[in-house]
Amino acid sequence: MTVTIVGSQFGDEGKGGAVDLYGEAADIVVRYQGGDNAGHTVVHEGEEYKLSLLPSGVVRGKECIIGNGCVVNPETLFDELDTLRERGLDPSVRVAERAHVIFPYHRVIDGIEEDDKDEKGDLTVGTTGRGIGPTYEDKAGRRGIRVGELLDSELLRSRLEYVVPQKRALVEDVFGVEAGSEFDVDRLFETYRDYGERLAEEGMTVDCGTYLQRRIDDGDEVMFEGAQGTLIDIDHGTYPYVTSSNPTAGAASVGSGLGPTVVGRGDVIGVVKAYLTRVGTGPLPTELGGVEGQTPGYGDGTADEEEEELATYIRDEGGEYGTVTGRPRRVGWLDMPILRHAARASGFTGIVVGHIDVLAGLDEVRVGHSYEVDGEEVTTVPPITEAWSRCTVNYRRFDGWSDVDWSAVARDGYEAIPENARTYLEYVQEELDTPIYAVGVGPGREDTVVLEDPFDGSTE
Ligand code: GDP
Ligand code: IMO
Ligand code: MG
């Protein structure tokens, strides 16, 4: 059986925590898209692990695979593995031979394109600078280099000799930037051949789909760990302010080599943060306050003081600063059109709602129930981002809940959650017509009220 964990908003919903929570019963944890742009946090017994490329299953000592739908920076791969080993873990990680490789020139081009967009208009995405977009571009352009090809030095050299001069010309002739050592074929060849040798020596590559199917046939449990979130999905997100892959559940099939019927037989769990955060640019209709350089039009002196205070309160209470980049995250109220869109696009069978502890202490909690776009009420996300950026929000207001001993709540179960918070949770569950599987009341594995375990049915 499989269980798929998907971000239902803009990323950073707590997917790492959800994978860790339900991971015990999994035999294998698989990432199916994205690369080291992710930042997944797992907190257990006071230890915090931040993973950007490795599946969060490593913390529980699970066998992990980076699937063919991912883009892989070998430097990050080995750095993260070495760091975890230094911390006493014994990670078992393999990489799909069909996954694409991020080269240093991809990262340089990522930065150059962002600078260019910044100079020429409002198309800057605020990427993580990890070369994600340029690597997926090369994959779609059929000039990318795959992990399995690093192990064949002759093939690697011929691929680099084809592609690197194109990249050099792009940087120098189109963008007018001098190309550095990141565009030196000999240097790239030596470094990446060495990575290939290490991958081979450590037996770290795998034919992902064939291997996973065999394990499923043997009765093993597979967990898919989505990165990013539905609203930054390249198809279903707020294009062009998106990442370059599909975090939605369909990609668990394409990005691993298992059929959609296999993935669809298991649960698909949407991870929901009880409010919104966004890192990077693009619209955010329920945004509170704003963040210089990310919130469109922010900084003209017209900000609402009360909203600014609320945003700062939530940001600080929730520690809403990027795991990878350290950037302050933009903050907003929960947005139901976003969740309806996410639940449909991935076919959620359950949701995990976290961070209700962060909102404790507020007098009132608001939720964007629907939008008004061009005089019409809309209950899901408009396909054209420009229309979405113009919408006004119809809010539902909920009485706030006070701060309580959340560890005691996690111990005592659902009924111990403050009543007003339960009203809020039940509204979300009813609107989505999707059951709540767990409620997060703090960052640790223990800080969770578990109602359903997708691997073995009800626990309460
Ligand atoms: P991911 O990218 O979806 O894995 O999420 P991140 O790790 O980037 O961000 C989620 C942050 O919230 C992490 O620091 C988690 O430890 C923390 N977290 C997760 N669930 C909860 C929760 O229910 N309450 C609180 N206070 N923090 C949480
Ligand atoms: P996790 O897995 C939040 C955002 C970036 C930027 C846009 C494109 O931790 O939820 P990219 O470098 O991917 O080309 O950037 O996507 N972004 C994320 N935001 N969480 C993430 O991952 C993200 N990964 C990318 O901020 O706006
Ligand atoms: Mg994150």
Side-chain angles (χ1 to χ4, degrees):
M1 205 186 93
T2 70
V3 170
T4 305
I5 304 289
V6 176
S8 60
Q9 294 150 327
F10 294 91
D12 302 331
E13 299 90 348
K15 299 175 293 295
V19 168
D20 180 62
L21 174 69
Y22 290 131
E24 187 48 31
D27 296 295
I28 310 176
V29 180
V30 184
R31 283 250 337 242
Y32 55 87
Q33 46 71 232
D36 58 347
N37 49 347
H40 295 180
T41 315
V42 175
V43 181
H44 181 53
E45 289 178 346
E47 287 282 316
E48 185 177 68
Y49 299 90
K50 288 177 182 287
L51 303 155
S52 67
L53 176 62
L54 304 185
S56 304
V58 287
V59 176
R60 281 196 184 259
K62 296 292 166 182
E63 179 180 344
C64 290
I65 296 185
I66 299 172
N68 56 272
C70 294
V71 288
V72 180
N73 183 331
E75 194 182 342
T76 314
L77 175 72
F78 291 125
D79 276 357
E80 284 199 344
L81 284 170
D82 292 343
T83 306
L84 290 179
R85 283 184 186 128
E86 278 160 25
R87 290 184 68 179
L89 296 184
D90 182 20
S92 155
V93 177
R94 281 185 295 167
V95 188
E97 286 154 6
R98 292 182 171 92
H100 278 249
V101 179
I102 302 178
F103 284 89
Y105 51 82
H106 290 124
R107 293 173 69 125
V108 172
I109 292 168
D110 194 354
I112 291 174
E113 291 193 331
E114 283 281 281
D115 290 346
D116 188 63
K117 285 176 173 174
D118 193 33
E119 266 169 40
K120 293 181 182 152
D122 58 1
L123 284 175
T124 318
V125 178
T127 71
T128 59
R130 300 299 196 262
I132 304 297
T135 307
Y136 277 115
E137 273 182 56
D138 279 357
K139 172 179 176 177
R142 295 161 294 197
R143 67 182 91 84
I145 299 175
R146 306 205 284 181
V147 167
E149 290 161 359
L150 297 180
L151 278 62
D152 178 338
S153 61
E154 233 170 85
L155 190 61
L156 172 64
R157 184 172 261 288
S158 75
R159 292 272 196 272
L160 287 168
E161 279 170 358
Y162 173 73
V163 78
V164 175
Q166 287 185 23
K167 300 294 156 189
R168 181 181 279 278
L170 172 73
V171 164
E172 294 190 332
D173 303 343
V174 176
F175 292 110
V177 176
E178 197 184 331
S181 59
E182 296 88 352
F183 297 78
D184 179 332
V185 172
D186 290 336
R187 235 180 123 128
L188 288 166
F189 171 68
E190 277 166 31
T191 310
Y192 282 74
R193 181 200 52 201
D194 290 353
Y195 286 138
E197 279 173 10
R198 184 166 169 191
L199 287 168
E201 273 162 23
E202 298 188 22
M204 280 182 64
T205 59
V206 64
D207 175 353
C208 183
T210 304
Y211 178 75
L212 287 178
Q213 186 64 58
R214 203 166 65 229
R215 295 292 299 264
I216 297 253
D217 292 344
D218 288 347
D220 285 326
E221 313 275 22
V222 174
M223 177 170 261
F224 288 110
E225 173 174 349
Q228 290 79 50
T230 306
L231 269 290
I232 52 174
D233 181 293
I234 191 156
D235 284 274
H236 305 290
T238 60
Y239 192 90
Y241 309 105
V242 292
T243 192
S244 297
S245 68
N246 293 114
T248 42
S253 165
V254 177
S256 72
L258 288 179
T261 43
V262 177
V263 175
R265 277 201 293 274
D267 268 298
V268 176
I269 301 177
V271 184
V272 176
K273 194 181 262 186
Y275 49 91
L276 285 189
T277 56
R278 177 168 202 167
V279 196
T281 61
L284 188 62
T286 62
E287 184 162 18
L288 284 164
V291 173
E292 190 87 53
Q294 295 186 55
T295 306
Y298 181 76
D300 61 3
T302 58
D304 179 314
E305 222 171 274
E306 205 180 310
E307 288 204 347
E308 291 283 340
E309 267 176 35
L310 266 171
T312 307
Y313 176 83
I314 296 172
R315 185 176 301 120
D316 290 345
E317 287 293 306
E320 297 296 356
Y321 296 87
T323 310
V324 171
T325 58
R327 290 182 286 179
R329 294 173 180 156
R330 296 163 64 193
V331 172
W333 294 119
L334 191 71
D335 182 314
M336 291 312 296
I338 284 178
L339 293 185
R340 293 185 194 103
H341 176 68
R344 189 210 65 253
S346 287
F348 293 161
T349 56
I351 51 174
V352 170
V353 185
H355 295 82
I356 61 161
D357 55 305
V358 174
L359 297 179
L362 299 177
D363 292 336
E364 179 188 78
V365 175
R366 268 180 269 163
V367 180
H369 177 77
S370 63
Y371 305 139
E372 237 19 73
V373 187
D374 301 329
E376 251 182 70
E377 188 184 13
V378 176
T379 55
T380 187
V381 175
I384 300 299
T385 303
E386 188 275 330
W388 195 54
S389 71
R390 279 189 282 115
C391 74
T392 53
V393 183
N394 298 320
Y395 286 100
R396 287 276 169 96
R397 292 161 191 274
F398 292 81
D399 289 333
W401 48 90
S402 45
D403 209 7
V404 293
D405 178 350
W406 294 103
S407 307
V409 168
R411 209 179 40 239
D412 296 343
Y414 187 76
E415 293 304 320
I417 294 173
E419 191 182 350
N420 290 347
R422 277 185 280 134
T423 306
Y424 183 81
L425 290 167
E426 282 152 24
Y427 159 81
V428 174
Q429 171 168 271
E430 276 159 32
E431 283 295 320
L432 299 183
D433 196 19
T434 306
I436 293 180
Y437 276 18
V439 181
V441 296
R445 188 188 296 168
E446 307 74 17
D447 306 324
T448 323
V449 175
V450 181
L451 301 164
E452 291 279 339
D453 186 326
F455 282 119
D456 68 8
S458 179
T459 59
E460 214 186 62

